[in-house]
Each structure stands twice: as structure tokens, then as C-alpha cells.
Amino acid sequence: MRIAMVVEPADEGWAHLLTGDPVEAVTAHVLGLSRGLAARGHDVVVHIRRADGTQPDRVLTASGVVLSRLPAGPTHPLPDEDRLRVVPELSRRLADAWARERPDVVHAHGWQAGLATLAAAQLLPDRSTRPVVVQTFHGPTLGRSADGRAPGRSPSTASLSRRRLEAAIARGVDRLVALSADEVDRLLTLGATRLAVEVVPTGVDPATYPPARALADSGARLLVVSGLAVEERTDTAVRALRAVPAAELLVVGGPPAEGLAHHRDARRLQDLARRCRVQDRVRLLGAVPRGDLPALLRATDVLVSTDVHEPSGRYVLEA
């Protein structure tokens, strides 16, 4: 079977399709899924937006997965708020690629990838042979605020627009893959039919976690693995640290460590730590390669899961 994966219109981190050590959870999910399908004999192509003009457009990896970089927008990484603008061009590039080599199944990961995939399928000249379109949102906005507003406050225009687009995707695709039963409820509220939704829970490979455990030298070591944005509620863990004397809090997430000094949310958390007088016990580690997470978890006393809307519970499973 020919399977195409479509990922959000950015290719930051996708060099790891070659090295095998992705940072972002979605990247790791798509990478593991693609490699597993290729190992079963399927032809798998992962389509991403080309954000680096020096990289080849098409690469066959050692695992048999093809990485396809499509030109759409500028050849540099885009901030979140600009990625939607390149979706129309990405749709046209996908349609051109699929007209030359028609996939049997297309699996979109993320809501912007879903928009591009649905539009590309409609652009195909022969709609009677349109591929089956599958969508995984990796956490729809329903039940949370895309702009970080606290529960109970009115969502922004951007948040409402995204939810309307997610609802259109949920109703327009052939199948939806949810990562948990909780996500099924959100998808049904978006307008999906129950028969169209399949739950495929996130898995963890226990072989990557050695039995030896290196404890913190002194006190307790707490760990948060999450993004740094307001809606992911890492702030809650920083504030709670005031009530846990002698404990240190490690925060994994956001940009690589060298970019934390210029990252808005990282500076916000550091300012909060100073106001709470726990700045000497809060360490922001930035993005950590997933291959380094097992040892980090083994050296942790408590994992603190702050994002109540995280769809898969992946880090809880790993802990």
C-alpha cells in the first residue's frame, strides 16, 4: 500500500528522520508510525514543508521511509502565526505530487496539515480515485484556548476560527485517529461521527528504559515535560515549588537550550520563578532529544503533568 504522511507546514526537527532522535512529540509519533508501516512492507512518504533551501527535496532513509520536502513559502522556519498562510501553496504542491504518484491513504498530522490534505485531495484531477484521508489532530483546541486564555474567559477570534476549521476537517475526512478516549469526546463535539473515529493509543517501548535508576543527589527532583506556553500550565508547577522546600524543578520543552534566552515564554517562566523566590531551584532545559529522556526520567523522583488537555498522556506513560 502507498501511504503518504502530511505534517504541519514546517520541517524543523525533521532532519531527525535520518538520525533517529527527534525532539518534538508529534515528530516522534509520525516517525515511529512511518517506520513501523515501512517495516510491514508499505511504501511510506512523509511530506513536510521545505524550510531549508540547502536540503534535498527527496531522501530515502535507512528505514525505507521517503522524506519529501515541498516548496511552500520562504525557505526558513516560520512562527506559528505565519504557518497558515502557506497552506494553499502546500496544498497545490501535494496535489502535484499525488497526481504523479497517487497514494492509497493519506494521513494528516495536525490541523493545518489536515487543511492542506483535504484541499489537495479536492485538486486531484480524477476525484473518483481520491485517496482515503485520515486525520490525527494531536489535540484539537476544543476545551482549551489556543491563545492561552484561562478557562471561563472568552476565546480569541483566532481560537474560534481554528475551531471552525477543525470542525470542517473532522466532518470532511474519511477517518479520524484519536490518541485517547478523551479525545474521542472532543472530536464528536466537533461534529465527527463515532463510526469515523478509531482510537490508537500512544505506545512506549520499554526496552528504551534501563532498570538502573540514578537518584537526585539531594532533595527531590521534579520534572515537567511540556511546552512553555501559558495554556500548558507549567506556571502551576513553578508556583507549587514554593510549598516543596529543597526540591528542584526541571522543565523540558520549548526551543533548544541555546534559544531560551530569547524565547518569550521561557523569559516569562523565569520571571515567575523570581517572583516566587524559587529561581535557584528552577532549571529550564529547553528541547531535549527523545533519546535522552529515558535517562532523565530515571533520574527524576516525580513527573509533574500540568497540561490537562494533552491528548496522548505519552510522558505519563513513559514515566
Side-chain angles (χ1 to χ4, degrees), residues 172-297:
V173 298
D174 299 298
R175 287 287 188 273
L176 290 138
V177 174
L179 303 180
S180 66
D182 175 68
E183 192 175 355
V184 173
D185 294 336
R186 298 190 220 173
L187 295 174
L188 296 180
T189 307
L190 284 175
T193 62
R194 184 61 186 87
L195 290 176
V197 181
E198 297 286 346
V199 179
V200 182
T202 297
V204 174
D205 182 2
T208 62
Y209 289 82
R213 182 170 186 246
L215 294 174
D217 295 333
S218 61
R221 177 174 290 169
L222 315 180
L223 175 67
V224 171
V225 185
S226 182
L228 305 181
V230 172
E231 65 266 24
E232 287 162 308
R233 306 187 183 188
T234 306
D235 305 53
T236 303
V238 173
R239 293 190 180 95
L241 198 62
R242 292 176 295 185
V244 191
E248 67 170 340
L249 176 67
L250 309 183
V251 180
V252 171
E258 58 270 19
L260 288 173
H262 306 289
H263 192 269
R264 180 185 61 185
D265 288 313
R267 293 199 303 269
R268 190 197 75 253
L269 286 172
Q270 289 166 338
D271 289 342
L272 175 63
R274 281 191 288 271
R275 293 197 304 273
C276 294
R277 299 182 180 180
V278 295
Q279 68 272 18
D280 58 330
R281 296 190 285 127
V282 176
R283 292 170 54 195
L284 304 186
L285 303 182
V288 172
R290 297 199 64 79
D292 294 344
L293 274 179
L296 188 57
L297 285 166

Side-chain angles (χ1 to χ4, degrees), residues 95-182:
D96 291 342
W98 297 341
R100 294 190 300 269
E101 185 179 6
R102 184 70 56 90
D104 301 300
V105 176
V106 178
H107 191 168
H109 296 267
W111 69 280
Q112 292 174 347
L115 287 177
T117 298
L118 281 176
Q122 293 300 317
L123 290 172
L124 292 174
D126 184 2
R127 296 186 181 181
S128 64
T129 58
R130 194 190 85 164
V132 174
V133 177
V134 180
Q135 172 73 32
T136 299
F137 281 108
H138 295 277
T141 57
L142 195 67
R144 69 185 298 170
S145 171
D147 58 0
R149 291 178 183 269
R153 295 181 61 184
S154 299
S156 67
T157 301
S159 177
L160 290 172
S161 298
R162 173 174 166 178
R163 291 178 191 179
R164 284 194 290 267
L165 292 172
E166 288 180 341
I169 295 167
R171 294 191 298 265
V173 298
D174 299 298
R175 287 287 188 273
L176 290 138
V177 174
L179 303 180
S180 66
D182 175 68

Side-chain angles (χ1 to χ4, degrees), residues 1-4 37-38 40-45 102-106 132:
M1 181 182 293
R2 289 196 295 269
I3 302 170
L37 290 168
R40 290 178 176 237
H42 300 290
D43 296 326
V44 182
V45 179
R102 184 70 56 90
D104 301 300
V105 176
V106 178
V132 174

